[in-house]
Amino acid sequence: LPSRSSKQSKCHHHRITIAMKTKRSGSRSTTIMASLHQRAACLAIALLSLSNSAESFPINRGLQPAFSPHNSALHATTEIDETDAQIRDRILDEIDSGLRTYTQTDVKLSDYGEPEDALITDEDDDGAIDSATLGQWDESDFQGKYDYEWDPDAGDEDPNNLNPEYEYVQDIPLDEEGMEVGYDPAFGPSNPIDGRTILNPPDSYVIDKKTRDDRLVPKDFPDGDPELKSNAEIIAFRKGLRQIETYIDPFLKTEVPRHTAKWHGYAEQLSFPKQDYMNNRFTKPEDRTDFDALGPALARKVAVQMARAKNNEWLPAGTSRAYHESKTAIYKEKGIITGSTLPGDIDEDLATKIQPAMDVLGDVVELLSIEVETVFRFKYHGLIKNKRGMEAWAGVLIRNCDV
C-alpha cells in the first residue's frame, strides 16, 4: 500500500489535472472533470479505508459533492476534523460493508491501557478495607451488640454498678444558696457531684502499686534518704482527706468532678415490656375462655359463637330493641330524662325567642327540651375538649336573647 505522502501527492496531481482540463475545454471538459473527480474521490476513500492510520487521518465524507461552477475543484477535498464518535461509526460501517477486515488475532489487548503495576502508587493504603473480605451482610448482623450494650433479660451484668474498690460521695455538697453544686437552673445538672463521684481515684498506672514497674520509673529519692518517709506520709495524708478533685470545664465554665464512675445509660428497650394476657381487658378472670386448651377447631367454633352472641345479624328479631329498652327503662320509671339524650317537651315561644342563638351555634348542638322555662337541654356534637367552652358560650348567647 502506498504511504500517506504518496497518496497525498497523487491526489494533488489529480486535482491539478482536473483543473487544467477545465480551463482548456468547455462543457465536454466539465463532464470529464466531474467523472474523473468522482473516480478519484472513490479511489481516495478506498486507499484511506485500507490504511492502518485511517481512523486518525481526517477526510471529508462528502468527497462527491454536486459540481457547481462556483466551487473550484481544488476545494472538493476540503479536510475537516472528525470526532471520536464519527470515527467509530465510520469504522463500523466499513466493517459491515466489507471495506475493512480484521481478525481477533490482530487485536493485542496488551497494547491498550496501563500495566497493573503502573496503577499502584505510594499513596495507596495497604490497610484499607477490601470489599471482598467484608463477607455477606444478612439479618444476623442486627443480633450483635457493642461493648456498651447490655441486656438485663439475658443475665448481663449492669455496667453502671459502682466498683467497690473506690469510695464515692455520700452527701452531695451544697453551695451558699443551698443548691447542689454543679446544678444549673436552665440546663439542670450537666456534670453534678453526685453519688458516682470518686473520692479516692486510682493513681496513674506508672506509679500505682498494682501496675508500677520500678525498673522503668526513676526514683524520686535515693535509698535511705530521710525525705523518703516524710514524702510517703504527706501522700498518705493528702489521700486521707478524701477531697473531691475538680477542674474548670472550658465549655461549661464551671467546676466539674474529675473522677467519676462512667454512666453507660439504661438498657435499650427493643420491645414493650411483657404484660399479663388479661391486662386491660373487661373480661373477669373467672369468665376467661382458655382458647389455648381447646385446640384449633374447637377454639374457632367457640370464637364464632361468642362473636355472633353480640352481633345483631345473628340475634333473633327484637333482641336488639329489647336491649335498648332495658337501658332506657329507668328514665320512664322515674319520670325524668336528665342525664340522657332522650327528647322532651319544647316551648315553641321560647324556642322562637332563642332562635338567634341557635343560628350562631349551628349544627354543633341540638335542642332536646326546655325544662321549667330556664333549663335548656342540648345534645352536643362537637369535640369533647370544647364541651365546657361551648356550654358557657351557649349560656351567654341565650341570655343575650332576653330569656
Side-chain angles (χ1 to χ4, degrees):
L1 295 178
S3 61
R4 180 180 299 180
S5 59
S6 61
K7 288 186 291 184
Q8 293 177 351
S9 61
K10 289 182 179 181
C11 293
H12 183 65
H13 175 70
H14 284 296
R15 289 197 296 268
I16 295 175
T17 304
I18 293 171
M20 293 174 62
K21 289 182 178 181
T22 303
K23 296 179 180 179
R24 293 177 182 178
S25 60
S27 61
R28 182 179 179 182
S29 63
T30 303
T31 305
I32 296 174
M33 180 185 64
S35 177
L36 292 176
H37 174 69
Q38 294 178 356
R39 294 174 61 185
C42 295
L43 179 60
I45 293 176
L47 292 176
L48 293 175
S49 301
L50 294 176
S51 63
N52 293 332
S53 60
E55 47 272 38
S56 61
F57 185 74
I59 65 172
N60 183 12
R61 299 193 65 181
L63 290 177
Q64 302 178 6
F67 179 79
S68 173
H70 301 285
N71 297 333
S72 175
L74 295 176
H75 298 82
T77 57
T78 303
E79 299 178 353
I80 60 174
D81 294 334
E82 285 185 322
T83 62
D84 294 340
Q86 293 175 345
I87 295 175
R88 178 200 61 196
D89 296 339
R90 178 170 55 78
I91 294 175
L92 293 177
D93 293 341
E94 293 173 359
I95 294 174
D96 296 338
S97 61
L99 296 177
R100 178 188 294 268
T101 58
Y102 75 100
T103 59
Q104 190 68 24
T105 56
D106 297 337
V107 180
K108 296 181 180 180
L109 299 179
S110 59
D111 296 341
Y112 296 89
E114 298 180 359
E116 296 183 359
D117 296 341
L119 300 177
I120 301 177
T121 61
D122 298 337
E123 299 179 357
D124 294 339
D125 186 6
D126 296 336
I129 298 178
D130 186 7
S131 60
T133 60
L134 294 178
Q136 185 66 28
W137 181 87
D138 55 9
E139 60 274 5
S140 62
D141 294 335
F142 291 106
Q143 302 175 0
K145 290 183 177 295
Y146 294 99
D147 297 338
Y148 58 84
E149 294 181 330
W150 57 287
D151 187 5
D153 298 336
D156 297 344
E157 184 181 358
D158 188 354
N160 299 315
N161 294 335
L162 300 179
N163 191 348
E165 296 182 359
Y166 307 113
E167 297 181 10
Y168 300 91
V169 173
Q170 300 297 330
D171 299 329
I172 300 177
L174 304 177
D175 56 9
E176 299 177 354
E177 299 179 356
M179 301 295 293
E180 297 179 0
V181 176
Y183 180 83
D184 189 348
F187 303 101
S190 57
N191 293 73
I193 300 177
D194 54 6
R196 304 186 67 84
T197 303
I198 301 176
L199 294 176
N200 57 338
D203 295 327
S204 173
Y205 72 95
V206 179
I207 61 175
D208 190 79
K209 294 182 179 180
K210 298 179 180 178
T211 57
R212 179 187 180 115
D213 189 355
D214 296 333
R215 299 173 302 174
L216 303 177
V217 180
K219 295 182 180 181
D220 298 333
F221 303 96
D223 297 337
D225 194 310
E227 295 186 4
L228 183 63
K229 182 178 179 180
S230 60
N231 185 58
E233 293 177 354
I234 294 174
I235 294 176
F237 173 76
R238 180 181 59 82
K239 292 183 178 180
L241 296 177
R242 297 293 188 265
Q243 292 181 349
I244 301 175
E245 185 177 354
T246 60
Y247 69 98
I248 302 298
D249 189 274
F251 300 99
L252 299 177
K253 305 300 181 183
T254 183
E255 291 188 8
V256 296
R258 185 179 296 275
H259 303 284
T260 58
K262 185 178 179 180
W263 175 255
H264 297 271
Y266 298 101
E268 182 181 5
Q269 292 186 357
L270 302 178
S271 61
F272 290 103
K274 296 181 180 180
Q275 299 288 347
D276 185 19
Y277 179 78
M278 298 301 295
N279 184 39
N280 293 337
R281 296 180 183 270
F282 298 99
T283 305
K284 298 180 181 179
E286 56 270 15
D287 298 337
R288 173 176 175 267
T289 303
D290 191 2
F291 289 96
D292 296 333
L294 298 179
L298 185 58
R300 181 181 182 278
K301 183 178 180 180
V302 174
V304 172
Q305 292 176 357
M306 296 178 63
R308 291 178 178 178
K310 297 296 180 66
N311 194 332
N312 190 29
E313 296 180 359
W314 300 92
L315 295 178
T319 303
S320 179
R321 184 177 183 84
Y323 175 79
H324 178 70
E325 291 179 353
S326 64
K327 294 296 184 181
T328 59
I330 185 64
Y331 300 104
K332 297 180 180 180
E333 294 177 1
K334 302 298 182 180
I336 58 175
I337 56 177
T338 304
S340 68
T341 58
L342 298 175
D345 297 334
I346 299 177
D347 190 349
E348 296 298 336
D349 296 337
L350 289 177
T352 304
K353 197 171 183 178
I354 66 171
Q355 187 60 37
M358 298 298 297
D359 295 339
V360 175
L361 297 175
D363 297 335
V364 179
V365 297
E366 177 185 352
L367 182 62
L368 297 178
S369 65
I370 301 176
E371 306 293 339
V372 297
E373 300 182 357
T374 56
V375 178
F376 298 86
R377 296 178 59 248
F378 293 93
K379 184 176 181 180
Y380 177 63
H381 299 284
L383 298 177
I384 192 65
K385 66 178 182 179
N386 301 330
K387 182 179 179 180
R388 290 195 174 186
M390 291 297 296
E391 181 181 357
W393 189 30
V396 174
L397 293 176
I398 292 174
R399 284 191 293 270
N400 292 339
C401 296
D402 298 331
V403 175

mmCIF file of all heavy atoms in Angstrom, residues 248-271:
data_model
loop_
_atom_site.group_PDB
_atom_site.id
_atom_site.type_symbol
_atom_site.label_atom_id
_atom_site.label_comp_id
_atom_site.label_asym_id
_atom_site.label_seq_id
_atom_site.Cartn_x
_atom_site.Cartn_y
_atom_site.Cartn_z
ATOM 1 N N ILE A 248 -12.067 23.290 86.016
ATOM 2 C CA ILE A 248 -12.959 24.197 85.307
ATOM 3 C C ILE A 248 -13.139 23.685 83.876
ATOM 4 O O ILE A 248 -12.178 23.620 83.104
ATOM 5 C CB ILE A 248 -12.421 25.638 85.292
ATOM 6 C CG1 ILE A 248 -12.213 26.142 86.723
ATOM 7 C CG2 ILE A 248 -13.372 26.546 84.536
ATOM 8 C CD1 ILE A 248 -13.488 26.207 87.536
ATOM 9 N N ASP A 249 -14.357 23.298 83.561
ATOM 10 C CA ASP A 249 -14.646 22.826 82.210
ATOM 11 C C ASP A 249 -14.570 23.996 81.237
ATOM 12 O O ASP A 249 -15.199 25.042 81.462
ATOM 13 C CB ASP A 249 -16.038 22.188 82.160
ATOM 14 C CG ASP A 249 -16.289 21.487 80.837
ATOM 15 O OD1 ASP A 249 -16.720 22.184 79.890
ATOM 16 O OD2 ASP A 249 -16.070 20.275 80.751
ATOM 17 N N PRO A 250 -13.822 23.870 80.134
ATOM 18 C CA PRO A 250 -13.666 25.021 79.219
ATOM 19 C C PRO A 250 -14.959 25.399 78.497
ATOM 20 O O PRO A 250 -15.076 26.532 78.014
ATOM 21 C CB PRO A 250 -12.591 24.547 78.230
ATOM 22 C CG PRO A 250 -12.653 23.056 78.293
ATOM 23 C CD PRO A 250 -13.037 22.707 79.699
ATOM 24 N N PHE A 251 -15.911 24.490 78.403
ATOM 25 C CA PHE A 251 -17.158 24.787 77.704
ATOM 26 C C PHE A 251 -18.257 25.202 78.682
ATOM 27 O O PHE A 251 -19.009 26.138 78.414
ATOM 28 C CB PHE A 251 -17.604 23.572 76.889
ATOM 29 C CG PHE A 251 -16.616 23.153 75.844
ATOM 30 C CD1 PHE A 251 -15.730 22.104 76.076
ATOM 31 C CD2 PHE A 251 -16.546 23.808 74.625
ATOM 32 C CE1 PHE A 251 -14.823 21.713 75.118
ATOM 33 C CE2 PHE A 251 -15.640 23.426 73.666
ATOM 34 C CZ PHE A 251 -14.774 22.383 73.906
ATOM 35 N N LEU A 252 -18.351 24.509 79.808
ATOM 36 C CA LEU A 252 -19.389 24.840 80.780
ATOM 37 C C LEU A 252 -19.016 26.031 81.650
ATOM 38 O O LEU A 252 -19.883 26.643 82.281
ATOM 39 C CB LEU A 252 -19.663 23.627 81.674
ATOM 40 C CG LEU A 252 -20.156 22.363 80.950
ATOM 41 C CD1 LEU A 252 -20.305 21.221 81.943
ATOM 42 C CD2 LEU A 252 -21.477 22.626 80.242
ATOM 43 N N LYS A 253 -17.708 26.334 81.737
ATOM 44 C CA LYS A 253 -17.223 27.442 82.560
ATOM 45 C C LYS A 253 -17.616 27.253 84.029
ATOM 46 O O LYS A 253 -17.954 28.213 84.722
ATOM 47 C CB LYS A 253 -17.764 28.778 82.050
ATOM 48 C CG LYS A 253 -17.486 29.066 80.579
ATOM 49 C CD LYS A 253 -16.006 29.089 80.275
ATOM 50 C CE LYS A 253 -15.761 29.406 78.808
ATOM 51 N NZ LYS A 253 -14.313 29.370 78.464
ATOM 52 N N THR A 254 -17.568 26.056 84.497
ATOM 53 C CA THR A 254 -17.908 25.759 85.884
ATOM 54 C C THR A 254 -17.083 24.570 86.351
ATOM 55 O O THR A 254 -16.485 23.846 85.544
ATOM 56 C CB THR A 254 -19.410 25.451 86.029
ATOM 57 O OG1 THR A 254 -19.723 25.242 87.397
ATOM 58 C CG2 THR A 254 -19.776 24.216 85.247
ATOM 59 N N GLU A 255 -17.058 24.366 87.675
ATOM 60 C CA GLU A 255 -16.298 23.257 88.234
ATOM 61 C C GLU A 255 -17.060 21.950 88.057
ATOM 62 O O GLU A 255 -18.254 21.870 88.337
ATOM 63 C CB GLU A 255 -16.020 23.500 89.720
ATOM 64 C CG GLU A 255 -15.049 24.633 89.996
ATOM 65 C CD GLU A 255 -14.670 24.705 91.455
ATOM 66 O OE1 GLU A 255 -15.043 23.776 92.188
ATOM 67 O OE2 GLU A 255 -14.013 25.672 91.864
ATOM 68 N N VAL A 256 -16.356 20.947 87.593
ATOM 69 C CA VAL A 256 -16.928 19.608 87.422
ATOM 70 C C VAL A 256 -15.962 18.608 88.038
ATOM 71 O O VAL A 256 -14.744 18.841 88.082
ATOM 72 C CB VAL A 256 -17.174 19.292 85.938
ATOM 73 C CG1 VAL A 256 -18.212 20.228 85.337
ATOM 74 C CG2 VAL A 256 -15.880 19.356 85.141
ATOM 75 N N PRO A 257 -16.451 17.491 88.537
ATOM 76 C CA PRO A 257 -15.554 16.492 89.142
ATOM 77 C C PRO A 257 -14.684 15.834 88.085
ATOM 78 O O PRO A 257 -15.121 15.583 86.958
ATOM 79 C CB PRO A 257 -16.522 15.505 89.790
ATOM 80 C CG PRO A 257 -17.801 15.667 89.034
ATOM 81 C CD PRO A 257 -17.867 17.108 88.652
ATOM 82 N N ARG A 258 -13.448 15.573 88.454
ATOM 83 C CA ARG A 258 -12.504 14.979 87.514
ATOM 84 C C ARG A 258 -12.641 13.466 87.436
ATOM 85 O O ARG A 258 -12.459 12.875 86.366
ATOM 86 C CB ARG A 258 -11.078 15.360 87.912
ATOM 87 C CG ARG A 258 -10.013 14.899 86.928
ATOM 88 C CD ARG A 258 -8.635 15.341 87.379
ATOM 89 N NE ARG A 258 -8.529 16.795 87.391
ATOM 90 C CZ ARG A 258 -8.214 17.527 86.320
ATOM 91 N NH1 ARG A 258 -8.004 16.941 85.159
ATOM 92 N NH2 ARG A 258 -8.122 18.834 86.421
ATOM 93 N N HIS A 259 -12.974 12.827 88.547
ATOM 94 C CA HIS A 259 -13.034 11.361 88.591
ATOM 95 C C HIS A 259 -14.452 10.948 88.962
ATOM 96 O O HIS A 259 -14.924 11.232 90.077
ATOM 97 C CB HIS A 259 -12.041 10.800 89.611
ATOM 98 C CG HIS A 259 -10.624 11.227 89.357
ATOM 99 N ND1 HIS A 259 -9.848 10.694 88.365
ATOM 100 C CD2 HIS A 259 -9.853 12.170 89.982
ATOM 101 C CE1 HIS A 259 -8.658 11.264 88.376
ATOM 102 N NE2 HIS A 259 -8.628 12.172 89.358
ATOM 103 N N THR A 260 -15.141 10.306 88.054
ATOM 104 C CA THR A 260 -16.495 9.804 88.288
ATOM 105 C C THR A 260 -16.631 8.428 87.657
ATOM 106 O O THR A 260 -15.878 8.066 86.731
ATOM 107 C CB THR A 260 -17.554 10.744 87.676
ATOM 108 O OG1 THR A 260 -17.294 10.881 86.269
ATOM 109 C CG2 THR A 260 -17.520 12.115 88.332
ATOM 110 N N ALA A 261 -17.570 7.669 88.178
ATOM 111 C CA ALA A 261 -17.877 6.373 87.584
ATOM 112 C C ALA A 261 -18.651 6.589 86.285
ATOM 113 O O ALA A 261 -19.637 7.330 86.251
ATOM 114 C CB ALA A 261 -18.689 5.522 88.569
ATOM 115 N N LYS A 262 -18.215 5.975 85.218
ATOM 116 C CA LYS A 262 -18.828 6.186 83.907
ATOM 117 C C LYS A 262 -20.262 5.690 83.900
ATOM 118 O O LYS A 262 -20.566 4.616 84.436
ATOM 119 C CB LYS A 262 -18.016 5.466 82.830
ATOM 120 C CG LYS A 262 -18.528 5.732 81.420
ATOM 121 C CD LYS A 262 -17.665 5.040 80.385
ATOM 122 C CE LYS A 262 -18.203 5.302 78.975
ATOM 123 N NZ LYS A 262 -17.373 4.627 77.950
ATOM 124 N N TRP A 263 -21.131 6.489 83.323
ATOM 125 C CA TRP A 263 -22.535 6.110 83.196
ATOM 126 C C TRP A 263 -22.783 5.587 81.778
ATOM 127 O O TRP A 263 -22.592 6.295 80.796
ATOM 128 C CB TRP A 263 -23.430 7.309 83.477
ATOM 129 C CG TRP A 263 -24.887 7.040 83.252
ATOM 130 C CD1 TRP A 263 -25.644 7.469 82.218
ATOM 131 C CD2 TRP A 263 -25.745 6.272 84.088
ATOM 132 N NE1 TRP A 263 -26.927 7.015 82.348
ATOM 133 C CE2 TRP A 263 -27.026 6.270 83.491
ATOM 134 C CE3 TRP A 263 -25.563 5.579 85.287
ATOM 135 C CZ2 TRP A 263 -28.112 5.609 84.044
ATOM 136 C CZ3 TRP A 263 -26.643 4.932 85.842
ATOM 137 C CH2 TRP A 263 -27.900 4.935 85.227
ATOM 138 N N HIS A 264 -23.197 4.336 81.681
ATOM 139 C CA HIS A 264 -23.411 3.686 80.390
ATOM 140 C C HIS A 264 -24.838 3.813 79.888
ATOM 141 O O HIS A 264 -25.137 3.330 78.789
ATOM 142 C CB HIS A 264 -23.048 2.205 80.487
ATOM 143 C CG HIS A 264 -21.603 1.968 80.804
ATOM 144 N ND1 HIS A 264 -20.630 1.848 79.835
ATOM 145 C CD2 HIS A 264 -20.965 1.852 81.994
ATOM 146 C CE1 HIS A 264 -19.450 1.649 80.407
ATOM 147 N NE2 HIS A 264 -19.620 1.647 81.721
ATOM 148 N N GLY A 265 -25.699 4.451 80.650
ATOM 149 C CA GLY A 265 -27.085 4.602 80.211
ATOM 150 C C GLY A 265 -27.928 3.395 80.584
ATOM 151 O O GLY A 265 -27.450 2.375 81.108
ATOM 152 N N TYR A 266 -29.202 3.514 80.297
ATOM 153 C CA TYR A 266 -30.135 2.437 80.586
ATOM 154 C C TYR A 266 -30.125 1.424 79.447
ATOM 155 O O TYR A 266 -29.688 1.711 78.330
ATOM 156 C CB TYR A 266 -31.547 3.000 80.782
ATOM 157 C CG TYR A 266 -31.654 3.962 81.945
ATOM 158 C CD1 TYR A 266 -31.659 5.338 81.738
ATOM 159 C CD2 TYR A 266 -31.747 3.500 83.256
ATOM 160 C CE1 TYR A 266 -31.752 6.232 82.783
ATOM 161 C CE2 TYR A 266 -31.834 4.385 84.312
ATOM 162 C CZ TYR A 266 -31.845 5.750 84.077
ATOM 163 O OH TYR A 266 -31.926 6.625 85.125
ATOM 164 N N ALA A 267 -30.629 0.263 79.753
ATOM 165 C CA ALA A 267 -30.697 -0.785 78.740
ATOM 166 C C ALA A 267 -31.681 -0.385 77.653
ATOM 167 O O ALA A 267 -32.751 0.164 77.923
ATOM 168 C CB ALA A 267 -31.124 -2.109 79.383
ATOM 169 N N GLU A 268 -31.322 -0.636 76.416
ATOM 170 C CA GLU A 268 -32.181 -0.293 75.292
ATOM 171 C C GLU A 268 -33.368 -1.245 75.242
ATOM 172 O O GLU A 268 -33.201 -2.473 75.262
ATOM 173 C CB GLU A 268 -31.396 -0.368 73.986
ATOM 174 C CG GLU A 268 -32.204 0.028 72.766
ATOM 175 C CD GLU A 268 -31.400 -0.079 71.493
ATOM 176 O OE1 GLU A 268 -30.254 -0.552 71.576
ATOM 177 O OE2 GLU A 268 -31.910 0.302 70.426
ATOM 178 N N GLN A 269 -34.554 -0.674 75.182
ATOM 179 C CA GLN A 269 -35.774 -1.472 75.106
ATOM 180 C C GLN A 269 -36.150 -1.653 73.644
ATOM 181 O O GLN A 269 -36.534 -0.700 72.964
ATOM 182 C CB GLN A 269 -36.900 -0.780 75.859
ATOM 183 C CG GLN A 269 -36.692 -0.725 77.361
ATOM 184 C CD GLN A 269 -37.898 -0.153 78.091
ATOM 185 O OE1 GLN A 269 -38.874 0.253 77.473
ATOM 186 N NE2 GLN A 269 -37.819 -0.113 79.403
ATOM 187 N N LEU A 270 -35.992 -2.876 73.159
ATOM 188 C CA LEU A 270 -36.322 -3.180 71.778
ATOM 189 C C LEU A 270 -37.793 -3.528 71.601
ATOM 190 O O LEU A 270 -38.264 -3.641 70.465
ATOM 191 C CB LEU A 270 -35.458 -4.342 71.281
ATOM 192 C CG LEU A 270 -33.948 -4.112 71.352
ATOM 193 C CD1 LEU A 270 -33.203 -5.349 70.877
ATOM 194 C CD2 LEU A 270 -33.546 -2.893 70.541
ATOM 195 N N SER A 271 -38.522 -3.712 72.682
ATOM 196 C CA SER A 271 -39.944 -4.037 72.597
ATOM 197 C C SER A 271 -40.609 -3.584 73.884
ATOM 198 O O SER A 271 -39.936 -3.235 74.869
ATOM 199 C CB SER A 271 -40.151 -5.544 72.382
ATOM 200 O OG SER A 271 -39.618 -6.282 73.467
#
